[in-house]
Amino acid sequence: MRRTLALAVTALALLGAAGCDTTGVTRDRVNAAVAPTFANLYVLQQQLRGRKVAVASVKARADCARGTGPNASTRGAGDDWTCTLTWFNAGPAITASANYQLHVQANGCYTADGDGPSDLNGTPTLTASDGANVTNPLWRFDGCFDLS
Amino acid sequence: MTALDTAGAAVRPAPAAAVRGGTLVVYRWEAAKLVRQVRTRLVVLACVLAPFLFVAALKMQTTTPQDTLFGRWVHDSGFAVPLVVLGFAGQWALPALTSVVAGDIFACEDRHGTWRTILTRSRSRGQIFAGKTLAALTYGVVVTVLLGASSLVAGVLMVGHQPLVGLSGTLLAPGHATALVLASWASVLPPVLAFTGLGLLLSVAGRNGALGIGGPVVIGLLMQLGSMADLPVPVRTLLLTTPFGAWHGLFTDPPFRGPLLWGAAVSAGYLVLCVGGAYALLRRRDITGG
């Protein structure tokens, strides 16, 4: 009985994978997850560097997409997602941007890998304002979002 | 068969309290056997020691387990340690640990040829089934609690209780992080119990300890493999490995708890089906042969 159930689940899974495209990984969800996570970590990084930034003033926006050229897509798990983050750096007039490569897993968790500018996300560690060598929160970061 | 019928007749008129008492006696006896087994003692010892060895190994090198959630933070906050361990454990270790007992608890009576011996005593099949099932479920809970508690203690003692960076980049204060770590470990109890049920079912159906122990691990790995594919959300929800990741939503801001509820419901479904199936098989089995 257990085996029949396992077979049924596997068959259903294969059918679902082959037949219909109902992935829970969509661009809107990725954007909505990456932007606030980046903003929070940016505030943390600036704090480590001795600069006080209010998270509300960062107003980060993420523009993520999957693949390039004819294979470009806006949905589905994969390691070919890229994101461009834009936010307000110092005051409402000056915007800054950064790039990330994303590996979005089918379970709704992603790893963002910094792809420039290098002083923001190019190194795994940074020198804090007190001289200590600490983990750079923006080098790579993880997050999750709800698939349902 | 005569012996069996007499045993059944002797039990049937007994009042409800005595029936429950019978289950309790079997449960105590099974628990006492488990406590004295080398195998279970080794597993318990491993659950307590492994997190400390893991942190010690991490501290000897500068690299971090990057491919696991919170792996980047194992040198920065002790609260990352139990979550990294949970990430690893949910993939195959917890199903394997609980199956070590559940997969063999019925099959060992086949191996030793002792079904006739225990069923001709004053305990009914139902009582023996209930007692053994409860013992296996208790063991699953104990192993999970020990591994979780030990990894939290290892992290806090050997790394420290610094604030933890959550999955939305927010800093979680030590008290909040502790509560979330405990909640995360509690959230894997339902799927652990469901895998225990799977082990019990295979133990009864296969009459073979190797199948009962290995079966749930293989099924868990297959489901894990399936969940790596981009399955439709309803199918993913029905896999028994999905509840092992339901705790992720606790660490985002705002948190999402839907997967926790679904995980508990799906696990309960598997548990009822497996334990019910195991009981149906055991009740119908002809023991007289051996």
Side-chain angles (χ1 to χ4, degrees):
Chain A
M1 191 182 97
R2 181 63 203 84
R3 278 184 207 150
T4 325
L5 194 74
L7 269 178
V9 169
T10 316
L12 203 67
L14 288 176
L15 212 75
C20 44
D21 178 26
T22 50
T23 171
V25 179
T26 62
R27 179 168 66 181
D28 289 348
R29 285 178 179 158
V30 175
N31 284 348
V34 171
T37 307
F38 174 83
N40 287 326
L41 292 171
Y42 177 74
V43 170
L44 181 65
Q45 190 205 48
Q46 294 302 305
Q47 200 181 322
L48 290 169
R49 284 180 164 161
R51 183 170 158 245
K52 221 173 162 55
V53 180
V55 73
S57 69
V58 175
K59 293 194 173 63
R61 286 171 52 84
D63 186 12
C64 302
R66 189 179 170 209
T68 48
N71 297 325
S73 164
T74 57
R75 52 200 292 116
D79 59 0
D80 50 352
W81 283 82
T82 51
C83 291
T84 303
L85 274 299
T86 49
W87 72 99
F88 290 100
N89 189 5
I94 304 164
T95 58
S97 74
N99 294 312
Y100 277 91
Q101 295 186 344
L102 252 68
H103 180 187
V104 186
Q105 288 176 315
N107 66 359
C109 290
Y110 64 86
T111 301
D113 189 355
D115 202 14
S118 60
D119 68 318
L120 186 90
N121 59 25
T123 53
T125 57
L126 55 85
T127 310
S129 53
D130 60 359
N133 206 25
V134 295
T135 304
N136 179 0
L138 288 180
W139 180 55
R140 282 180 185 162
F141 60 86
D142 298 301
C144 294
F145 53 88
D146 196 356
L147 290 174
S148 53
Chain B
M1 213 54 202
T2 350
L4 260 177
D5 287 342
T6 347
V11 164
R12 229 167 273 139
V19 172
R20 271 205 305 278
T23 302
L24 201 65
V25 169
V26 178
Y27 173 72
R28 282 213 198 104
W29 181 241
E30 288 296 330
K33 279 202 289 188
L34 287 180
V35 168
R36 280 165 186 77
Q37 268 178 20
V38 178
R39 188 174 46 183
T40 44
R41 284 185 176 182
L42 280 179
V43 168
V44 164
L45 195 69
C47 285
V48 174
L49 289 185
F52 287 91
L53 297 176
F54 173 63
V55 180
L58 282 177
K59 285 186 89 82
M60 279 192 279
Q61 52 186 5
T62 49
T63 54
T64 51
Q66 302 262 351
D67 50 351
T68 312
L69 287 178
F70 293 101
R72 235 175 298 292
W73 298 107
V74 287
H75 294 305
D76 300 284
S77 170
F79 297 110
V81 171
L83 298 171
V84 170
V85 174
L86 183 59
F88 284 136
Q91 288 181 1
W92 58 269
L94 285 173
L97 287 176
T98 190
S99 303
V100 162
V101 162
D104 198 43
I105 202 162
F106 290 106
C108 67
E109 307 290 353
D110 287 295
R111 195 170 59 243
H112 299 305
T114 40
W115 274 119
R116 262 195 302 190
T117 319
I118 57 171
L119 285 175
T120 46
R121 297 302 185 269
S122 55
R123 307 293 164 215
S124 71
R125 264 185 214 207
Q127 288 172 343
I128 286 178
F129 179 82
K132 279 178 176 283
T133 300
L134 284 177
L137 293 174
T138 309
Y139 167 81
V141 172
V142 167
V143 164
T144 310
V145 167
L146 278 180
L147 187 60
S150 166
S151 52
L152 177 60
V153 171
V156 170
L157 284 186
M158 296 171 77
V159 181
H161 57 283
Q162 304 87 342
L164 178 70
V165 176
L167 292 176
S168 290
T170 46
L171 272 183
L172 307 168
H176 191 201
T178 309
L180 290 182
V181 165
L182 293 177
S184 301
W185 273 89
S187 80
V188 300
L189 283 174
V192 164
L193 293 181
F195 267 104
T196 311
L198 195 56
L200 292 170
L201 175 61
L202 291 174
S203 182
V204 172
R207 307 185 187 191
N208 180 325
L211 177 71
I213 296 170
V217 178
V218 172
I219 291 174
L221 283 176
L222 286 178
M223 286 190 180
Q224 193 79 42
L225 215 62
S227 70
M228 281 182 196
D230 211 353
L231 299 173
V233 175
V235 178
R236 164 175 295 279
T237 308
L238 287 178
L239 294 179
L240 192 48
T241 44
T242 307
F244 281 118
W247 57 272
H248 298 157
L250 291 173
F251 288 86
T252 62
D253 179 34
F256 55 93
R257 300 189 178 89
L260 289 173
L261 297 177
W262 275 108
V266 168
S267 304
Y270 273 88
L271 181 62
V272 168
L273 278 179
C274 290
V275 172
Y279 183 56
L281 284 178
L282 186 68
R283 205 182 45 186
R284 284 210 308 257
R285 186 191 291 183
D286 179 12
I287 304 288
T288 46

